[in-house]
């Protein structure tokens, strides 16, 4: 036995030290648990308070254990270091039943308490609430879109159903309602939200840090995320599942309006774009792309719409290129080239880019990459105007003919 071993506390004085160390460790854990959440984003939802309280509770325990382990490590390095010239072995210590019982029992109790606490938080946060606002959230490589139901009764008297787009008419026939789309998730303070999540390709994860919710999107299954906003403002929505090379750009925004009135003002404005679509196909195409109805923003850059994707070719000035280098490379007119680039994207690949773009198709409204012909024509008409002069490089009559309208 070395001199060190004999000096270990074995009397009442030792227990006082243990109690003092325990109090100090818990205090340290408490400081860590109070300081860390200062780095967190706004508590944007009712649920975020419960989640943060649970997290703080875990930090008190984790912080105390961290300080205990690091403290013992530093203490041992100093206290039990070998004297210069001492090359002897340390004392041979074998099992200690009391110690092993203690370090098994304490973590078991901690884990049990955490299981019960977090289960209660989870049950409370995922429970159905009264009067939920239901939004469909769609994740696609590499953009988010959100759709809202508009009942047939909301159609103004001066709008005739037969004047609405064929897509809207088909929806009305099927379910007496139609959907409007936004690339932002709009909600308002105090109204519980239920987001029904679907992916049209691989797995994504819907994460709103300010709301403290994160939910995976699984192919072939609808998953749900629930929260009740309590703080007006705009907060980021992030994809938290590596879903391809545009994953980092797969972001959107949630807009929490201060009250129902301002929310409805946005909702009615958006519905009006369906009720009173612009006559000009170029305007219409811009509106469709800006709405996020198609996931183009995740892959393409287009300054006019604030897109910053880099996985696909840059669309700034795409009209000029369709008219010059692409026309030369494909032998197609600009309108034909842009038309085929959307319905047959792999036919001609812009140098430096792979065949990653989904093939949009005009026939089956149930298909994941359905793009009805009237949307398609408007989008091509708009892209034709992405030129240095802002003038269209396309012949729209020819476009209608090519697209079979
Ligand atoms: Cu979608 Cu990462």
């Amino acid at each position: 036995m070395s001199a060190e071993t004999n000096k270990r506390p074995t009397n009442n004085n030792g227990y006082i030290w243990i109690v003092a160390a325990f109090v100090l460790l818990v205090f340290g854990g408490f400081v860590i648990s109070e300081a860390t959440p200062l780095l967190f984003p706004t508590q944007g939802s009712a649920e975020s308070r419960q989640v943060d309280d649970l997290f703080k509770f875990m930090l008190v325990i984790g912080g105390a254990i961290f300080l205990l382990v690091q403290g013992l490590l530093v203490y041992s390095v100093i206290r039990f270091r070998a004297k210069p010239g001492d090359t002897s072995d340390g004392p041979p210590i074998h099992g200690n039943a009391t110690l092993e019982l203690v370090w098994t029992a304490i973590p078991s109790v901690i884990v049990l308490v955490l299981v019960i606490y977090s289960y209660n938080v989870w049950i409370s946060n995922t429970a159905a609430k009264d009067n939920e606002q239901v939004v469909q959230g769609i994740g696609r490589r590499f953009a988010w879109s959100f759709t809202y139901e508009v009942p047939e009764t909301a159609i103004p008297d001066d709008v005739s159903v037969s004047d609405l787009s064929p897509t809207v008419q088909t929806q009305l026939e099927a379910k007496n309602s139609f959907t409007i789309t936004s690339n932002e998730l709009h909600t308002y303070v105090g109204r519980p939200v239920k987001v029904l999540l679907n992916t049209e390709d691989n797995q994504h994860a819907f994460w709103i840090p300010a709301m403290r919710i994160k939910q995976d999107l699984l192919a072939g299954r609808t998953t749900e995320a629930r929260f009740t906003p309590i703080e007006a403002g705009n907060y980021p929505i992030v994809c938290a599942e590596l879903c391809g090379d545009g994953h980092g750009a797969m972001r959107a925004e949630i807009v929490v309006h201060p009250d129902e009135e301002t929310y409805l003002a946005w909702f009615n404005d958006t519905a009006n774009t369906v009720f009173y679509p612009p006559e000009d196909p170029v305007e219409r195409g811009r509106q469709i792309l800006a709405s996020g109805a198609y996931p183009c923003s995740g892959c393409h850059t287009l300054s006019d719409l604030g897109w910053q994707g880099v996985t696909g070719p840059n669309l700034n000035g795409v009209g000029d290129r369709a008219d010059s280098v692409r026309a030369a490379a494909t032998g197609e007119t600009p309108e034909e080239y842009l038309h085929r680039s959307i319905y047959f994207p792999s036919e001609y690949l812009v140098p430096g880019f792979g065949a990653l773009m989904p093939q949009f198709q005009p026939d089956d409204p149930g298909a994941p990459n359905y793009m009805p012909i009237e949307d398609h024509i408007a989008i091509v008409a708009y892209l034709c105007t992405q030129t240095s002069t802002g003038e269209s490089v396309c012949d729209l009559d020819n476009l209608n003919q090519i697209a079979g309208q």
Side-chain angles (χ1 to χ4, degrees), residues 6-332:
N6 291 334
K7 276 186 200 161
R8 274 197 286 183
T10 48
N11 50 20
N12 280 340
N13 209 12
Y15 291 113
I16 291 170
W17 276 110
I18 291 174
V19 171
F22 179 77
V23 170
L24 237 125
L25 288 172
V26 172
F27 177 74
F30 187 76
V31 170
I32 291 174
S33 89
E34 285 302 310
T36 309
L38 298 176
L39 305 168
F40 288 178
T42 314
Q43 287 187 326
S45 68
E47 292 73 14
S48 61
R49 291 176 178 160
Q50 293 195 56
V51 172
D52 286 4
D53 285 348
L54 170 62
F55 193 76
K56 278 187 188 178
F57 182 70
M58 291 196 285
L59 268 180
V60 173
I61 300 169
I65 293 173
F66 172 80
L67 293 175
L68 173 69
V69 171
Q70 299 304 316
L72 284 177
L73 199 66
V74 171
Y75 175 79
S76 303
V77 163
I78 296 166
R79 179 78 179 74
F80 303 117
R81 71 190 187 281
K83 302 277 177 310
D86 178 2
T87 53
S88 62
D89 285 342
I93 298 170
H94 292 282
N96 182 325
T98 317
L99 193 62
E100 283 177 22
L101 269 175
V102 169
W103 78 34
T104 307
I106 293 177
S108 302
V109 172
I110 291 175
V111 168
L112 195 68
V113 169
L114 287 179
V115 164
I116 296 169
Y117 186 178
S118 40
Y119 182 73
N120 279 326
V121 170
W122 183 72
I123 286 291
S124 147
N125 285 359
T126 53
K129 316 287 190 300
D130 289 337
N131 191 26
E132 279 174 336
Q133 176 195 9
V134 180
V135 184
Q136 303 269 349
I138 299 159
R140 283 176 289 194
R141 292 188 296 170
F142 298 102
W144 297 99
S145 62
F146 303 96
T147 63
Y148 305 74
E149 290 290 323
V150 185
E152 191 164 21
T153 47
I155 300 175
D157 291 338
D158 62 332
V159 172
S160 152
V161 172
S162 58
D163 290 341
L164 296 175
S165 84
T167 318
V168 171
Q169 291 186 38
T170 312
Q171 288 189 32
L172 284 170
E173 270 165 38
K175 52 179 184 172
N176 295 324
S177 67
F178 66 93
T179 49
I180 52 174
T181 308
S182 171
N183 54 5
E184 296 162 334
L185 173 54
H186 285 257
T187 63
Y188 58 92
V189 171
R191 175 89 188 263
V193 185
K194 174 165 88 169
V195 189
L196 298 174
L197 295 160
N198 284 102
T199 165
E200 295 196 343
D201 36 54
N202 48 306
Q203 201 163 330
H204 304 274
F206 178 74
W207 181 31
I208 314 182
M211 302 297 159
R212 308 289 192 276
I213 54 158
K214 185 151 77 173
Q215 173 62 52
D216 279 4
L217 279 70
L218 306 172
R221 239 176 85 175
T222 301
T223 51
E224 295 175 355
R226 286 192 157 93
F227 60 96
T228 307
I230 53 169
E231 190 76 39
N234 295 20
Y235 310 102
I237 298 172
V238 182
C239 179
E241 188 82 53
L242 185 60
C243 54
D245 50 5
H247 159 72
M250 190 168 167
R251 287 171 155 258
E253 210 165 58
I254 172 171
V255 180
V256 179
H257 294 270
D259 49 40
E260 186 171 12
E261 208 184 341
T262 46
Y263 165 75
L264 283 178
W266 166 82
F267 188 84
N268 292 332
D269 277 354
T270 310
N272 279 340
T273 63
V274 176
F275 296 137
Y276 309 104
E279 287 285 321
D280 181 6
V282 173
E283 265 301 295
R284 222 163 47 235
R286 185 179 191 282
Q287 205 169 66
I288 292 166
L289 288 182
S291 77
Y294 303 100
C296 321
S297 66
C299 297
H300 297 283
T301 289
L302 183 52
S303 307
D304 186 35
L305 298 173
W307 296 355
Q308 296 176 337
V310 291
T311 318
N314 189 323
L315 294 183
N316 288 330
V318 71
D320 285 330
R321 288 191 297 281
D323 195 27
S324 53
V325 280
R326 308 292 179 244
T330 62
E332 294 166 349

